[in-house]
Amino acid sequence: MPRESTSQFAPSWFSVFEGQDSHGRENRQRALDRLWRTFMQARVLIATVLLALQVYLLVSGTGGPDWLVLVCALHVSAALAALLWLRPVEPSRRLRVQWLLTIGIDVLVFALLQYFQKGGFNYLPLFALPVLLASILGPLTLGLATASAVTLYLLGEAALSAPLFSEVSTARLLQGGLAATGFFIVAVLANQLALRLAREEAVAISNRDAARAQAQVNELIIESLSEGVLVVDPHGVVRNANPAAQTMLMGSTYPQSTRLLLSARDNWTGLAELVQETFLLGQPMESEIDIDVDELTTNRLFARTHLTSRHGRKEGLCVLFLEDLRELEARVRTEKLASMGRMSAAVAHEIRNPLSAITQANALLDEEVQTPGQKRLTHMIAQNAQRLSRIVDDILNVARAQPSQIEGNLPAIPLDDHVRLITREWVRQNQAKGKLGVHTHAPQALVRFDPEHLRRLMINLLDNALKHASGQASSIRVITQPSGAERIRLSVWSDGGPLEAAVLRHLFEPFFSSESRSSGLGLYICRELCERYGAQIAYQRTVLDQREGNEFYVFMPATGLSQRVSGHAGRSMPPGDSVPALTRPPGATRPGAPLSTR
């Protein structure tokens, strides 16, 4: 049957789904299969009933010819074959044999039963089945053609049953005409109802797909939020919680696929009271709450509640928003220190001119003085002026974008020698004698690193280790060792306690610190210095001498080997200390793994 698209009543319900994507085509195919199976089952039922009726009439001797039983048996067989083996064909395609094996067989069988009927049986209503089948599963043209075939049969049967223009013939023709009109009306109405239902189904499918897509987008947004979101019912049961809220409340131990009761946990009492007060007053609330995640971690949260609206009334569920106050304070501190950084860059730029004047005046003064004491003073002024100049340059460099790699004209320096010099200076300045153990195991390694920047890197790491170390003998360790053929590993280890999860997430970020008096720039500067020279810095929890501790390690590209042969390879300070193997506690990262800090 050709595709119909010119007439208002030409399309079938199936044409509503045309033009859709593969998902839409699957939906329309499933709908066609469902309708086809329903009609085929109805045909089998009707054919079975007709066969039973003909058998009864044959036994009672009140029916028509005996061969009608064979016709009904063949009809049952054809209906079963169509149900089991035939597949529906899209109405937009040309007429196939299966339409003749369904509609044509039904019309022929019903016509034979109607023509050879006896005992007052009327099979006229059965013609509605092929008309409905053609009108709903096919275009309107097929439905009208089926109704026309039934009409021709009814009028022909009426004309042959009695002399033309006789009273009986006229009555039969009138009855056939009325029945035919009804079939035409049924064909048109069934086709239009099928079209309307199909349009509504297509709209419903489209709306459902849009709703599912929007729900997936909303779920993705909520899952990726750094702000915690909890959904709580009036009984205090947590219906849903995003990963950020789970981490804030219970860390990695939050049970999945389990609804929790706020009042069942002592450390959630503040949240439970806030939710109860929100339901009681019927308005949003907010409060600052402390949550003890474990023995070592306490999260300070800012909680806000909102009630869902249903039919204009405040009821249903309470949505609880949680924000980490430490992160809020860090953002505020970032904004303040960013403005201070811009100001310090401007100040550093203004310091350059008087610093240059001081350097020149000191050089002139050095030419005039003669005594060793005066020479020593001018030398100290020159050294500190140079250091101030480098600090000014560093501040200005941080304010400007820095390349990830240094220029190739920087000379390579022996790492172990500089590490020993820096650690000795740090021990004298911090009175940390006995607390620090230095173990150098790369005596011939050369790295391209500015000595002053290397000093700043190690001083920051050592100062950070001193703040958290226990203060016992060798509670801080500095270790250098080769890591493959192209890298050198420099690590600073201390026996401090484990870091909180909230601190680990922002470890190398600027202006973030676990201490209120710290600017949070130490580790950030370490990372920036490492990246400037192509090095990598990372953190892990390790075990050294059967003591757990925090280790910050740096991988530096090795540029070659020193030409001198060291006679004290593996030299350590203090003497007698050895470097035990670093082991990892459960869950620690693999030592030596090149980690990216960005």
Side-chain angles (χ1 to χ4, degrees):
M1 183 179 57
R3 184 187 302 268
E4 299 289 341
S5 59
T6 57
S7 175
Q8 179 182 0
F9 303 107
S12 69
W13 68 273
F14 201 81
S15 62
V16 175
F17 295 93
E18 293 181 356
Q20 295 188 356
D21 55 8
S22 59
H23 183 63
R25 289 191 292 270
E26 291 177 0
N27 289 330
R28 69 180 183 179
Q29 188 61 45
R30 284 196 297 268
L32 178 62
D33 292 343
R34 185 172 60 252
L35 285 174
W36 171 267
R37 189 170 185 82
T38 300
F39 273 109
M40 294 303 103
Q41 290 174 350
R43 292 181 68 241
V44 171
L45 178 62
I46 292 175
T48 303
V49 171
L50 290 178
L51 176 60
L53 178 61
Q54 292 302 318
V55 171
Y56 171 75
L57 294 177
L58 178 63
V59 173
S60 61
T62 58
D66 296 343
W67 52 268
L68 288 179
V69 177
L70 178 60
V71 170
C72 291
L74 294 176
H75 187 210
V76 172
S77 302
L80 283 173
L83 175 63
L84 297 177
W85 293 305
L86 288 183
R87 297 287 298 171
V89 176
E90 294 184 9
S92 57
R93 298 178 182 176
R94 295 183 177 276
L95 186 62
R96 298 294 181 91
V97 177
Q98 70 175 41
W99 292 99
L100 297 176
L101 296 178
T102 55
I103 299 174
I105 289 178
D106 288 347
V107 172
L108 177 61
V109 171
F110 299 156
L112 291 175
L113 293 177
Q114 177 71 13
Y115 186 79
F116 293 100
Q117 66 178 341
K118 287 185 179 181
F121 286 100
N122 187 5
Y123 299 95
L124 186 61
L126 295 178
F127 288 103
L129 178 63
V131 172
L132 288 174
L133 178 61
S135 302
I136 293 178
L137 292 182
L140 182 60
T141 305
L142 184 60
L144 295 177
T146 305
S148 300
V150 175
T151 300
L152 292 176
Y153 163 74
L154 293 178
L155 294 179
E157 191 266 341
L160 295 176
S161 61
L164 196 60
F165 301 116
S166 64
E167 183 176 352
V168 176
S169 177
T170 303
R172 295 290 297 273
L173 287 173
L174 180 60
Q175 182 181 3
L178 292 176
T181 303
F183 288 133
F184 278 105
I185 294 176
V186 167
V188 173
L189 291 180
N191 183 265
Q192 293 304 300
L193 288 176
L195 282 174
R196 181 172 180 178
L197 291 176
R199 282 193 295 267
E200 292 180 356
E201 183 178 1
V203 172
I205 292 174
S206 177
N207 293 339
R208 183 196 63 188
D209 294 340
R212 287 179 176 177
Q214 186 63 42
Q216 292 176 354
V217 171
N218 295 339
E219 184 177 357
L220 179 62
I221 293 174
I222 293 176
E223 292 289 323
S224 60
L225 279 177
S226 60
E227 185 179 26
V229 180
L230 288 176
V231 180
V232 187
D233 64 11
H235 303 289
V237 177
V238 179
R239 296 290 187 88
N240 201 356
N242 70 337
Q246 296 173 7
T247 302
M248 292 178 186
L249 295 181
M250 298 182 63
S252 59
T253 61
Y254 193 93
Q256 302 297 326
S257 304
T258 303
R259 293 181 178 179
L260 301 179
L261 188 65
L262 289 180
S263 58
R265 295 181 177 268
D266 295 336
N267 55 341
W268 293 358
T269 304
L271 291 177
E273 293 176 352
L274 182 63
V275 171
Q276 291 177 359
E277 189 174 358
T278 300
F279 279 113
L280 182 62
L281 300 179
Q283 61 184 8
M285 306 291 294
E286 58 184 34
S287 176
E288 294 185 7
I289 299 173
D290 293 337
I291 300 294
D292 295 327
V293 178
D294 51 42
E295 297 179 355
L296 302 175
T297 306
T298 299
N299 290 334
R300 294 175 55 240
L301 306 178
F302 178 71
R304 296 179 292 111
T305 60
H306 289 277
L307 292 176
T308 59
S309 178
R310 185 182 299 172
H311 303 299
R313 297 177 297 170
K314 295 290 184 180
E315 58 179 13
L317 299 174
C318 176
V319 182
L320 187 63
F321 298 94
L322 303 176
E323 293 182 85
D324 193 337
L325 285 177
R326 183 175 296 169
E327 294 187 2
L328 292 176
E329 294 170 355
R331 286 197 292 267
V332 174
R333 189 163 59 248
T334 299
E335 295 175 359
K336 293 172 63 177
L337 291 180
S339 60
M340 292 178 61
R342 290 190 294 269
M343 182 186 67
S344 63
V347 172
H349 186 74
E350 295 297 328
I351 289 176
R352 271 187 163 182
N353 292 331
L355 187 60
S356 299
I358 293 173
T359 303
Q360 294 176 2
N362 182 69
L364 295 174
L365 182 61
D366 184 65
E367 294 177 357
E368 297 180 359
V369 298
Q370 301 295 331
T371 63
Q374 292 174 339
K375 284 286 186 179
R376 190 163 50 251
L377 291 176
T378 57
H379 182 65
M380 291 175 59
I381 293 174
Q383 283 185 332
N384 286 280
Q386 291 176 0
R387 177 170 292 187
L388 285 175
S389 178
R390 286 193 296 268
I391 292 174
V392 169
D393 291 338
D394 288 342
I395 293 176
L396 294 176
N397 287 337
V398 169
R400 295 191 294 264
Q402 290 294 332
S404 59
Q405 299 290 339
I406 59 173
E407 298 291 337
N409 56 3
L410 188 66
I413 61 173
L415 179 62
D416 284 4
D417 292 347
H418 283 77
V419 167
R420 285 192 290 269
L421 290 174
I422 294 170
T423 51
R424 278 199 294 265
E425 178 187 354
W426 181 82
V427 168
R428 286 196 305 267
Q429 292 178 353
N430 293 272
Q431 299 179 356
K433 186 176 182 180
K435 300 179 183 178
L436 175 64
V438 180
H439 312 273
T440 55
H441 294 271
Q444 300 182 33
L446 299 177
V447 295
R448 294 192 183 276
F449 219 98
D450 185 90
E452 180 62 22
H453 288 169
L454 179 61
R455 189 189 69 83
R456 288 185 59 188
L457 169 65
M458 292 195 61
I459 293 300
N460 285 340
L461 293 178
L462 289 170
D463 288 343
N464 183 70
L466 185 61
K467 291 178 184 178
H468 301 91
S470 63
Q472 300 176 3
S474 298
S475 58
I476 304 174
R477 302 287 185 92
V478 175
I479 304 171
T480 63
Q481 55 188 354
S483 178
E486 300 179 352
R487 295 192 304 178
I488 305 299
R489 190 177 192 271
L490 168 64
S491 63
V492 177
W493 178 90
S494 65
D495 61 353
L499 301 182
E500 298 180 4
V503 176
L504 287 175
R505 290 197 302 268
H506 310 280
L507 196 58
F508 295 99
E509 294 181 5
F511 312 116
F512 186 87
S513 174
S514 59
E515 300 179 0
S516 59
R517 296 185 179 182
S518 175
S519 64
L521 288 172
L523 293 177
Y524 168 72
I525 292 175
C526 292
R527 186 189 71 175
E528 292 297 312
L529 291 175
C530 289
E531 292 184 351
R532 185 179 303 183
Y533 295 95
Q536 295 173 314
I537 185 171
Y539 162 83
Q540 67 179 354
R541 185 78 176 165
T542 58
V543 176
L544 185 62
D545 283 342
Q546 299 181 351
R547 289 185 297 176
E548 283 194 21
N550 302 310
E551 181 190 20
F552 289 88
Y553 57 96
V554 179
F555 285 116
M556 298 180 177
T559 59
L561 297 177
S562 175
Q563 297 300 322
R564 64 180 177 87
V565 178
S566 175
H568 49 277
R571 178 180 175 184
S572 302
M573 187 184 72
D577 286 352
S578 61
V579 182
L582 290 176
T583 58
R584 290 175 292 153
T589 56
R590 178 172 60 88
L595 304 178
S596 174
T597 58
R598 285 200 180 273

